Amino acid sequence: MTQELVSLTIIMAVAAVSPIVAQLIPGRFIPQTVLLLAAGAALGPYGLGIIEVNDAVKLLNELGMAFLFLLAGYEIDPKRLAGHQGKVGLLTWGITLGLAWLVVTFLPFFTKQGINGVATVIALTTTALGTLMPILKERNLEGTPIGDAIISYGTWGELGPILAMAILLSTRTGWQTMLVLGAFLAICLLCAMLPTKALKTGHRLYRFLTENANTSSQTLMRLTTFLLIFLVTISALFELDAVLGAFAAGFILRYIIPDGSKSLEMKLEGVGYGFLIPVFFVVSGAAINVRAVAGRPALLVAFIVMLMLIRAVPVYVALSLDKRENPLSSHHRVTVALYCTTALPIIVAVTSLAVKVGTMQGDTASTLVAAGAITVFLMPLLGSITYQVADVHPVTAVREIAHTPSDWRTIVREHAQVRALLHHQDRLKRMAETLESLEKQEGLNGLDSRRAELVERARLEIDRQLKELGLDPQLTTQLPHNYRYPKN
């Protein structure tokens, strides 16, 4: 028991320090998740050996993964899933699965590495929606068109691989697998229908639960935890992955409470992000054999590149073809595609299962998990850089320079100034007011004319971005504060 407590103490110390370190890093461009994974790798069995992954820690790790997928499933709006963007997301994931199968099956590289199986195919199609949600919240993208698109496409990037794991990685025959999944689905429907009927009829038990939700009884929180553990247990009894049960619990919870419950959400996030989910990420990092990863750099890089080609490119193409329904600009589409390439929890789950059944070596699994961990850091960073570069409108600048090469310095400076004005709209407003007063008095000189041109260009860019958000530039002159993609 002492060793279990020591390991848990160290894990929670890492969890407590990680957000502080992330805040102190200039630009805050490293998510807390990356720090948790890195600390786990450094302190785990393949590092300094301070953290021992014993049975007690493994149980908390499983509960942490369960809470992560519970919250991911809870974020999914069934209406959005059945809507236009949800259907396009499903079709896109299907195309991704087909591309992954072709690449893994016929590309000699994967055969030489010994990872030309179904587990690798599934790992290449995943989006870590559960991991992305706290990052989207930290960066004020939740509720924006970019955030909505990430959730719509990322939902199938998480749900699709979970179902594929249950069907394609099952050790049963085809009809047995379908029978087990059917039984699991029936249990899930029962779990969803009973509370819904109680809600509609105003049953006395339902009134008791809601009235005591915020007392010491914490009835709704206890029932939610029971639902989660019950479905995870059913998954284990049916020899399905625990991820399926956890995700189903979150989805059922959203179905029961379609408009959400702020009180319940705060409690779930408190238990999840405050305790169990950091344990999951630290233990996932502890499972990474750093020496094995260092010995296979080609596989590490190739897997990340394949993730971008197989997952990001189809998402970008789908957003481009669906531009009428989703009028995102090109750099927004790149941002969504990169975020949807963030992968980790499913990779951890699918590689663990593959190692358990003997279809993948432990060193290979470590490398793929490390690649997934890198995407958690790399993809949001690339999305940020893409957005910042796009704000300068490099294509327009190149065209202007091609037309008047002698003015290249002025053109580059002007584009940089427009970007600065967009990030400081109060400065833009003050400059515009000054120019208007000068116009009324004596007119504009050469320098002021140049400033007026910059202001007009910045205003046109703001109008374009407002229209993209579905807002009327005649009624709204300021971009929402949560619209601008952060610097890092």
Side-chain angles (χ1 to χ4, degrees), residues 18 30-38 131 134-135 138 281 344 376:
S18 291
I30 300 180
Q32 297 177 35
T33 304
V34 175
L35 297 176
L36 293 171
L37 290 163
T131 306
I135 297 176
E138 287 174 12
F281 283 122
L344 181 65
V376 176

Side-chain angles (χ1 to χ4, degrees), residues 425-443:
Q425 293 183 71
D426 53 343
R427 180 181 165 196
L428 170 62
K429 186 177 179 180
R430 289 196 302 271
M431 187 183 288
E433 290 172 350
T434 303
L435 291 170
E436 285 174 5
S437 64
L438 287 173
E439 276 184 322
K440 291 176 182 177
Q441 295 173 10
E442 305 173 349

Side-chain angles (χ1 to χ4, degrees), residues 18-277:
S18 291
I20 300 172
V21 174
Q23 183 75 19
L24 293 175
I25 296 173
R28 291 182 291 176
F29 63 93
I30 300 180
Q32 297 177 35
T33 304
V34 175
L35 297 176
L36 293 171
L37 290 163
L43 302 176
Y46 299 105
L48 298 175
I50 298 175
I51 296 175
E52 181 181 317
V53 184
N54 43 52
D55 289 341
V57 172
K58 285 179 181 177
L59 178 60
L60 290 174
N61 172 59
E62 289 291 320
L63 289 174
M65 184 172 67
F67 257 85
L68 182 66
F69 281 97
L70 168 77
L71 292 170
Y74 180 73
E75 292 290 344
I76 297 171
D77 184 353
K79 293 179 181 177
R80 178 185 293 169
L81 200 63
H84 174 78
Q85 199 169 48
K87 292 175 182 176
V88 174
L90 172 59
L91 177 62
T92 304
W93 182 80
I95 293 171
T96 300
L97 182 65
L99 287 174
W101 180 80
L102 288 172
V103 168
V104 172
T105 304
F106 296 105
L107 198 66
F109 175 81
F110 286 96
T111 304
K112 291 178 181 177
Q113 297 290 334
I115 53 170
N116 56 338
V118 176
T120 308
V121 172
I122 295 173
L124 285 169
T125 66
T126 180
T127 296
L129 185 62
T131 306
L132 281 177
M133 290 312 302
I135 297 176
L136 295 181
K137 290 176 182 178
E138 287 174 12
R139 301 189 172 188
N140 294 319
L141 288 174
E142 194 178 26
T144 66
I146 296 175
D148 289 344
I150 292 169
I151 292 173
S152 293
Y153 284 86
T155 294
W156 286 109
E158 189 133 57
L159 180 57
I162 290 172
L163 294 174
M165 285 172 61
I167 297 169
L168 301 177
L169 292 179
S170 174
T171 56
R172 304 181 183 93
T173 59
W175 70 268
Q176 289 175 328
T177 300
M178 291 298 110
L179 188 63
V180 168
L181 287 175
F184 180 79
L185 177 61
I187 293 172
C188 290
L189 290 174
L190 188 63
C191 291
M193 294 301 295
L194 288 177
T196 305
K197 285 191 176 295
L199 172 62
K200 288 180 179 178
T201 58
H203 195 275
R204 187 183 303 172
L205 176 60
Y206 177 78
R207 292 198 301 273
F208 170 78
L209 294 175
T210 53
E211 288 169 1
N212 290 273
N214 295 313
T215 66
S216 58
S217 299
Q218 292 293 321
T219 48
L220 288 180
M221 183 63 186
R222 293 185 188 184
L223 276 177
T224 301
T225 307
F226 166 72
L227 174 66
L228 172 64
I229 296 176
F230 172 70
L231 289 180
V232 168
T233 303
I234 293 295
S235 298
L237 292 173
F238 285 179
E239 296 182 3
L240 299 169
D241 196 272
V243 169
L244 181 61
F247 200 84
F251 197 74
I252 291 169
L253 188 62
R254 171 59 72 180
Y255 177 79
I256 297 169
I257 317 173
D259 297 326
S261 169
K262 289 293 181 185
S263 174
L264 181 61
E265 289 167 21
M266 288 179 65
K267 294 167 188 173
L268 289 173
E269 289 179 355
V271 174
Y273 294 121
F275 176 35
L276 294 170
I277 293 174

